Amino acid sequence: MSYLQLNCLTGNPVPIPYYPGSGVNMHLLQFLTKRFYHPTAMPGRLKKVGGKRIYDMAQNIKFMLNCIENEVLFVDENGDLLEAGSINYLNINYYQLKQIVNLLHNDWGWKGQSIKNYIAPLREFYDYLRSEGVIHNMFFEGKYKATVSKDRDGDFLSHTKQFSSHYEYDIEPLIPKEWCEYSDDYRGKVVSMSQFKKLYSELDNQDPVYAVMAATMLQTFLRIGGVMQIPVKSNRLNPNWKRFGQMDSTIGFQELRYKNKGGSIATCLIHIETMKLIHEKFIIPHRSKRQELYERCYCKSKHAKKLYRNEQDSFLWLNKTGKPVSVPELQEAFNKASKALGFHVTSHFMRHTGATQLLHRWGKVNDTYICETHKTTIHSFLKRQLGHKDLETTMHYIRTIERLTGEQVYIEFFPSSLSLDDTDNDTDLIHDVKSAYNRAMELHLG
């Protein structure tokens, strides 16, 4: 796999997109050059933009092209999985682009407006290719206008200018309207512990690997792309990685380095209780048989050869057939579980649920009321494990706890309220998960 990169030459406002070892992407370079120097000659006679805007557009298009060619396994209209690497930016179609959009929102947690910022320059790029006679399969649905009424009383400068009672803005058909509705908390993306127990059981019925991955995301707050990168043994990013039996119990955790969205390197603490859960619920009972299937069957498949995978590669998460679990596969497992359980849940809900529960416990242990007054301290506490820098993201978690508390439904959401000797007919498996989760949350608090 080759990832598109940008080379910004001194004095040149247009970055050069290139594939290391494979040369320049001339389609994108020509688009960026014309967009900067001759915008009125572009389809739609576009407005001139500065160098910073050109660079941002290049970054966003680069990200989308890399997703298309490297990060996503696509399905066709019949739901059949397409060969890895068979889709590129010239043969991808609108239906397949929707799959990337759904991934960004449902599993990476992107808001609608953020996705719009990536789709807009991608539209311009494909419009340019069409105008130049470059053959491709991407035909966007047309954007349309929406009209919103203005409140003159809320426009404090309306007396100084001609006032218009309405304004128009573009609607992007790829982005559902509800994704763009502003929400300043995560209440809709936090599941209760009783819901998680049901989710775990349903995923376990499909394949134990999905259930253990869900519990791992809950405990580590990793996004779907991050949990996929937990290694089975040491690798280039994690040369000192240890299995559960090799870890020092007096330290209690190890650091995972992984590629974050956008390609930057992020770090996350993986606690010994999470490693124990993976070891006892997946590695011991399942992985050796699946590794044998991986080497004997999967590595001989066209899918493996297309991805240049062989017996020397190591993947922690293997499904029942010995194939490495893919992002679409895990997404589909959550989709099936949602339908079976009657409530909507995606993999990204695990991140929000775990972080909300941890923050609640942190407040109890430190006798600190979770509110905006303590936002700086709380931000310092959360930002490393969550990998975010924006204080507003921390405020979303603070508001989530404040509002759940105010609604008097928060008790169900937090594991500290669960009694391990309750009488709700827990299976031994779920009992173990609850116990491990509570121990892991305690370790998070040091």
Side-chain angles (χ1 to χ4, degrees):
M1 292 184 290
S2 182
Y3 283 83
L4 188 64
Q5 298 183 19
L6 298 178
N7 188 344
C8 301
L9 300 178
T10 303
N12 187 355
V14 178
I16 299 174
Y18 71 100
Y19 297 96
S22 301
V24 174
N25 183 321
M26 292 303 298
H27 288 149
L28 183 52
L29 177 60
Q30 290 165 356
F31 162 76
L32 295 170
T33 302
K34 191 170 183 178
R35 182 67 181 87
F36 181 75
Y37 290 106
H38 307 288
T40 58
M42 299 284 288
R45 296 182 60 83
L46 302 175
K47 295 180 180 179
K48 184 173 179 58
V49 295
K52 175 63 166 63
R53 175 59 181 152
I54 285 293
Y55 178 77
D56 290 342
M57 291 177 68
Q59 285 282 12
N60 290 357
I61 295 173
K62 179 200 76 171
F63 175 83
M64 294 300 295
L65 298 192
N66 282 335
C67 279
I68 290 169
E69 298 181 355
N70 298 289
E71 299 294 339
V72 178
L73 292 179
F74 299 94
V75 297
D76 61 20
E77 284 78 356
N78 297 320
D80 296 325
L81 194 65
L82 300 175
E83 283 192 25
S86 62
I87 302 296
N88 59 52
Y89 71 93
L90 292 179
N91 66 18
I92 188 173
N93 61 37
Y94 189 74
Y95 174 76
Q96 291 153 350
L97 182 59
K98 280 186 176 180
Q99 295 172 44
I100 294 181
V101 169
N102 288 335
L103 170 70
L104 295 177
H105 179 266
N106 294 333
D107 295 292
W108 293 7
W110 286 30
K111 296 181 176 65
Q113 186 56 52
S114 296
I115 301 174
K116 278 185 178 180
N117 293 338
Y118 284 75
I119 296 299
L122 193 66
R123 268 184 176 269
E124 290 188 18
F125 176 55
Y126 279 110
D127 286 344
Y128 164 78
L129 293 180
R130 187 172 299 109
S131 71
E132 295 294 315
V134 178
I135 298 174
H136 62 80
N137 293 335
M138 180 56 63
F139 295 92
F140 286 88
E141 292 183 10
K143 293 189 291 185
Y144 57 92
K145 298 287 186 181
T147 303
V148 175
S149 298
K150 288 183 179 179
D151 178 5
R152 182 163 191 154
D153 292 335
D155 184 356
F156 298 109
L157 298 179
S158 62
H159 66 283
T160 68
K161 62 190 178 197
Q162 183 177 0
F163 180 76
S164 173
S165 61
H166 298 82
Y167 69 90
E168 290 185 335
Y169 64 97
D170 289 331
I171 296 293
E172 170 55 67
L174 265 174
I175 316 295
K177 180 181 178 181
E178 59 269 21
W179 292 4
C180 299
E181 293 174 352
Y182 179 73
S183 174
D184 62 355
D185 64 39
Y186 293 126
R187 283 178 296 173
K189 298 180 179 179
V190 173
V191 299
S192 68
M193 285 305 292
S194 63
Q195 288 176 318
F196 176 71
K197 289 190 293 182
K198 295 174 183 176
L199 172 67
Y200 189 99
S201 292
E202 181 61 35
L203 292 173
D204 187 64
N205 289 336
Q206 294 183 43
D207 188 329
V209 71
Y210 305 145
V212 177
M213 292 177 79
T216 301
M217 286 186 279
L218 187 75
Q219 295 180 10
T220 61
F221 323 144
L222 283 168
R223 297 181 177 90
I224 189 169
V227 78
M228 290 288 182
Q229 297 177 56
I230 296 178
V232 69
K233 60 182 181 181
S234 60
N235 59 18
R236 183 178 61 82
L237 282 179
N238 298 279
N240 299 314
W241 186 257
K242 296 178 174 61
R243 295 192 179 193
F244 167 67
Q246 300 169 323
M247 292 182 68
D248 185 344
S249 60
T250 62
I251 297 176
F253 66 88
Q254 61 181 325
E255 185 177 86
L256 171 71
R257 298 182 76 242
Y258 64 98
K259 287 186 178 180
N260 206 348
K261 61 180 184 180
S264 62
I265 303 299
T267 60
C268 171
L269 299 182
I270 308 292
H271 287 280
I272 194 169
E273 292 297 337
T274 300
M275 295 299 297
K276 182 179 180 182
L277 176 73
I278 295 171
H279 184 74
E280 293 182 350
K281 298 304 179 185
F282 178 65
I283 292 179
I284 290 179
H286 303 293
R287 195 180 176 284
S288 60
K289 181 179 179 180
R290 297 182 182 203
Q291 179 66 26
E292 190 271 331
L293 287 172
Y294 171 82
E295 296 175 2
R296 179 168 55 87
C297 301
Y298 173 73
C299 285
K300 297 177 182 179
S301 68
K302 291 182 180 179
H303 185 271
K305 293 177 181 177
K306 189 76 174 181
L307 294 176
Y308 303 102
R309 291 173 174 171
N310 54 51
E311 292 85 350
Q312 282 69 51
D313 294 325
S314 296
F315 298 93
L316 173 60
W317 310 114
L318 300 173
N319 66 20
K320 292 177 180 178
T321 67
K323 175 186 172 185
V325 176
S326 67
V327 170
E329 181 182 345
L330 187 58
Q331 286 177 298
E332 184 57 26
F334 272 85
N335 288 338
K336 289 180 179 178
S338 294
K339 293 175 183 177
L341 296 172
F343 59 84
H344 179 61
V345 59
T346 74
S347 62
H348 202 70
F349 283 28
M350 301 297 95
R351 173 178 170 87
H352 292 318
T353 299
T356 300
Q357 291 169 339
L358 176 62
L359 182 55
H360 170 74
R361 283 198 162 198
W362 177 85
K364 291 184 66 175
V365 168
N366 291 277
D367 195 24
T368 299
Y369 183 62
I370 304 301
C371 62
E372 186 173 354
T373 303
H374 304 116
K375 63 184 179 183
T376 303
T377 302
I378 293 171
H379 180 65
S380 298
F381 170 66
L382 282 181
K383 68 178 181 179
R384 170 162 186 184
Q385 192 71 1
L386 286 169
H388 65 74
K389 299 178 182 178
D390 188 356
L391 182 60
E392 180 55 28
T393 304
T394 296
M395 286 302 303
H396 274 54
Y397 288 107
I398 292 173
R399 296 185 195 105
T400 299
I401 290 179
E402 286 181 321
R403 290 165 186 174
L404 289 175
T405 304
E407 294 169 2
Q408 297 184 337
V409 299
Y410 73 99
I411 292 177
E412 185 188 9
F413 283 81
F414 302 114
S416 58
S417 68
L418 292 173
S419 170
L420 293 180
D421 59 358
D422 56 20
T423 58
D424 60 354
N425 298 317
D426 279 354
T427 64
D428 290 340
L429 183 64
I430 292 301
H431 186 281
D432 289 346
V433 172
K434 288 165 58 179
S435 178
Y437 180 84
N438 278 298
R439 294 196 302 271
M441 289 297 101
E442 290 167 1
L443 282 171
H444 266 302
L445 303 175

